[in-house]
Amino acid sequence: CSMQQQFNTISSVKNKKDMPQYVPSSLKREVNDESGKCSGRMKTYNIIASFTVESQDTHKALRGIMTNYAYTLPDPSVPGRLSIWFTGGTIEPADEDAESVRAWKKIFGSPQPDKSEDPPGADKARQMAQNILLGAVSEPIDEQGMIGFHLKRPIGGHGSAFCDIIYMDDDLRVMRGHSGSIYLFKRAVFD
């Protein structure tokens, strides 16, 4: 698997219908206050990555797109800090031709891992842990090969998941993530 490109799309949340359904408990009051105003302080913070994975059967490179959906609010105690929480995501084939979708579904559609080492009930226990810890709800693969999930108990919030804006102008944004990673984003121009 290799990554080709990554995009970070950010847009103001200005309509009540665009407000997040699930919010970390530490941010609920602030988000509820924001939903009454829709001031644009809250923003979407989606991360879109294109990648390639090689099919073991055909040795054909399959291109995919992974999208992580998130929201952000300014952290009231740290200037220049954006608190982030992730709410779900999708993974889908980048190519829509029938052969690529068929190969994609073969890889991602019905995983058949070797479970001979797993104790009885291990799959059910894993699923229950995902559901209890994150409220993770996965969606089945659709006809076009897209797989989605959403988190009823999102990850993040003030002091938990954040990015500090180090520099920003009309074309460039430099940020430091909560784990110390540095991100450099250049504004993409689409015709």
Side-chain angles (χ1 to χ4, degrees), residues 5-191:
Q5 297 176 332
Q6 182 174 330
F7 300 93
N8 181 213
T9 60
I10 299 174
S11 60
S12 293
V13 176
K14 294 185 177 177
N15 300 308
K16 282 190 177 190
K17 67 176 181 60
D18 297 328
M19 297 298 284
Q21 184 175 3
Y22 301 107
V23 178
S25 57
S26 64
L27 294 176
K28 281 188 180 179
R29 189 175 68 192
E30 193 172 349
V31 170
N32 286 338
D33 289 348
E34 183 66 21
S35 70
K37 299 178 227 166
C38 291
S39 67
R41 284 181 59 241
M42 182 183 304
K43 300 191 181 330
T44 62
Y45 188 85
N46 301 331
I47 300 170
I48 304 161
S50 63
F51 64 93
T52 304
V53 63
E54 187 173 303
S55 168
Q56 292 181 349
D57 295 341
T58 64
H59 298 288
K60 177 185 175 189
L62 296 172
R63 296 178 328 124
I65 299 171
M66 179 176 61
T67 305
N68 290 304
Y69 299 106
Y71 290 88
T72 183
L73 275 169
D75 187 320
S77 60
V78 182
R81 177 168 287 174
L82 300 175
S83 296
I84 301 164
W85 70 96
F86 293 91
T87 60
T90 59
I91 184 170
E92 62 189 300
D95 299 314
E96 297 176 1
D97 63 278
E99 181 184 345
S100 294
V101 172
R102 202 170 23 259
W104 180 272
K105 285 181 174 182
K106 189 171 183 176
I107 293 173
F108 294 101
S110 349
Q112 301 294 329
D114 177 13
K115 298 181 180 163
S116 59
E117 300 290 319
D118 286 354
D123 271 347
K124 189 172 183 173
R126 277 189 209 101
Q127 188 66 33
M128 193 167 55
Q130 289 174 351
N131 198 338
I132 290 170
L133 295 174
L134 301 173
V137 178
S138 60
E139 299 151 15
I141 192 166
D142 70 10
E143 286 299 313
Q144 292 77 35
M146 180 186 285
I147 304 166
F149 71 96
H150 60 274
L151 304 174
K152 289 185 177 181
R153 285 184 285 289
I155 302 167
H158 295 318
S160 172
F162 58 84
C163 281
D164 292 329
I165 299 171
I166 299 170
Y167 174 82
M168 186 167 68
D169 63 23
D170 290 342
D171 296 315
L172 201 61
R173 180 170 31 108
V174 182
M175 299 172 71
R176 179 181 299 112
H178 63 271
S179 63
S181 300
I182 301 290
Y183 302 94
L184 172 66
F185 294 97
K186 183 175 182 340
R187 182 179 300 271
V189 178
F190 298 101
D191 295 329

